[in-house]
């Protein structure tokens, strides 16, 4: 764990206690900061994630790495029964204050607190890259999903246009921490955010990890020029 004068920043080996402590410190202004640093695109990305997951009324849907539950609440608007799980107690407390009716549980993506085949669909948004073993987490998500159930991973990725990719990486490493200092409760956590995005595999690389975890019919779609990618798969 790296501690700076303004707060904690997890290291890129992503130990669970480090990641949880870091997110505890950003919880109070997390949703606002996400909207600011994404220029409001976070709302569009959530809508696209739900459209890709296609939850039906009565479906049981698991939202892994749910944070404050903003994505869980959106999934519930479909009529599905959506449950959020997150490692950070601080994020869960912040979510329960503003969304008391959304089911939010403490849990580790590597040891989900649910029986086998409990859900019709599972999703994880901007959290898979924070897990110390992403493939093991994908296997655990498959365990709690029924055969034929759906997975959608919404995660930062690699812009497809070379010029745009150069501008984007410059924004990540230089401008994003500066913007975060204006709104975030722990701006140094966003240095980790930028570093973790840059170290994350591209679209094809993540698709290979999802397939290696036992998911089938893996496909992806780029959002915002590849800044974000939606990966969809089916439980065998």
């Amino acid at each position: 764990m790296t501690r700076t004068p303004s707060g904690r920043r997890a290291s890129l080996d992503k130990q669970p206690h480090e990641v949880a402590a870091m997110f505890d410190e950003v919880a109070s202004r997390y949703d606002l900061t996400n909207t600011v640093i994404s220029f409001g695109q976070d709302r569009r990305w959530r809508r696209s994630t739900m459209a890709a997951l296609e939850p039906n009324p009565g479906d049981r849907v698991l939202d892994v790495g749910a944070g404050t539950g903003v994505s869980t609440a959106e999934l519930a608007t479909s009529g599905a029964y959506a449950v959020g799980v997150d490692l950070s107690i601080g994020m869960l407390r912040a979510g329960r204050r503003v969304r008391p009716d959304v089911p939010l549980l403490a849990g580790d993506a590597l040891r989900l607190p649910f029986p086998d085949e409990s859900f019709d669909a599972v999703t994880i948004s901007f959290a898979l890259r924070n897990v110390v073993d992403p493939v093991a987490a994908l296997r655990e998500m498959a365990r709690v999903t029924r055969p034929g159930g759906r997975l959608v991973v919404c995660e930062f990725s690699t812009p497809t246009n070379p010029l745009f990719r150069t501008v984007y990486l410059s924004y990540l490493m230089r401008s994003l921490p500066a913007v975060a200092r204006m709104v975030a409760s722990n701006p140094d956590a966003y240095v980790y955010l930028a570093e973790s995005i840059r170290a994350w595999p591209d679209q094809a690389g993540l698709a290979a990890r999802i397939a290696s975890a036992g998911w089938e019919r893996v496909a992806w779609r780029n959002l915002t020029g590849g800044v974000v990618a939606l990966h969809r798969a089916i439980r065998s």
Side-chain angles (χ1 to χ4, degrees), residues 1-10 18-30 33 88-91 184-190:
M1 172 71 72
T2 300
R3 179 177 281 281
T4 65
S6 52
R8 297 173 187 265
R9 173 163 65 93
E18 293 186 356
V19 172
M22 183 186 70
F23 279 102
D24 286 347
E25 291 194 357
V26 301
S28 63
R29 307 189 76 184
Y30 183 75
T33 304
S88 166
I89 300 301
M91 294 285 277
S185 50
N186 175 11
D188 291 290
Y190 290 85

Side-chain angles (χ1 to χ4, degrees), residues 32-53:
L32 171 63
T33 304
N34 282 351
T35 298
V36 170
I37 66 175
S38 70
F39 303 102
Q41 290 295 299
D42 59 322
R43 299 184 181 98
R44 176 182 168 232
W45 297 335
R46 283 196 299 273
R47 290 194 298 268
S48 297
T49 299
M50 186 165 74
L53 195 65

Side-chain angles (χ1 to χ4, degrees), residues 61-100:
V61 178
L62 176 62
D63 186 15
V64 180
T68 65
V70 63
S71 53
T72 317
E74 185 136 0
L75 290 166
T77 63
S78 67
Y81 176 70
V83 178
V85 62
D86 199 274
L87 190 65
S88 166
I89 300 301
M91 294 285 277
L92 295 171
R93 285 174 177 162
R96 287 168 184 157
R97 282 196 295 270
V98 295
R99 301 177 187 91

Side-chain angles (χ1 to χ4, degrees), residues 64-65 85 87 107-112 124 128 131 136-138 140-141:
V64 180
V85 62
L87 190 65
D108 188 338
L110 297 174
R111 294 180 295 276
L112 292 169
I124 181 168
L128 187 60
V131 180
L138 289 162
E140 181 68 352
M141 285 183 260

Side-chain angles (χ1 to χ4, degrees), residues 47-227:
R47 290 194 298 268
S48 297
T49 299
M50 186 165 74
L53 195 65
E54 297 180 310
N56 299 306
D59 276 357
R60 296 162 298 169
V61 178
L62 176 62
D63 186 15
V64 180
T68 65
V70 63
S71 53
T72 317
E74 185 136 0
L75 290 166
T77 63
S78 67
Y81 176 70
V83 178
V85 62
D86 199 274
L87 190 65
S88 166
I89 300 301
M91 294 285 277
L92 295 171
R93 285 174 177 162
R96 287 168 184 157
R97 282 196 295 270
V98 295
R99 301 177 187 91
D101 297 329
V102 175
L104 295 174
L105 305 176
D108 188 338
L110 297 174
R111 294 180 295 276
L112 292 169
F114 306 103
D116 295 355
E117 302 179 10
S118 298
F119 295 94
D120 299 293
V122 60
T123 184
I124 181 168
S125 295
F126 307 112
L128 187 60
R129 76 180 189 287
N130 297 322
V131 180
V132 65
D133 189 340
V135 173
L138 289 162
R139 289 195 192 102
E140 181 68 352
M141 285 183 260
R143 179 188 67 78
V144 301
T145 305
R146 66 166 176 79
R150 307 173 301 283
L151 166 73
V152 170
V153 177
C154 179
E155 189 53 88
F156 289 109
S157 197
T158 304
T160 54
N161 180 282
L163 177 59
F164 178 46
R165 183 162 60 245
T166 299
V167 173
Y168 170 67
L169 289 174
S170 177
Y171 167 71
L172 274 182
M173 302 312 298
R174 297 180 183 177
S175 301
L176 186 148
V179 173
R181 286 189 191 96
M182 295 186 289
V183 291
S185 50
N186 175 11
D188 291 290
Y190 290 85
V191 177
Y192 160 83
L193 170 68
E195 292 172 347
S196 67
I197 293 171
R198 195 167 67 166
W200 188 244
D202 65 8
Q203 291 86 331
L206 179 55
R209 291 189 182 193
I210 294 171
S212 73
W215 295 90
E216 298 182 342
R217 292 161 54 187
V218 182
W220 73 82
R221 178 166 71 92
N222 290 320
L223 303 177
T224 318
V227 169

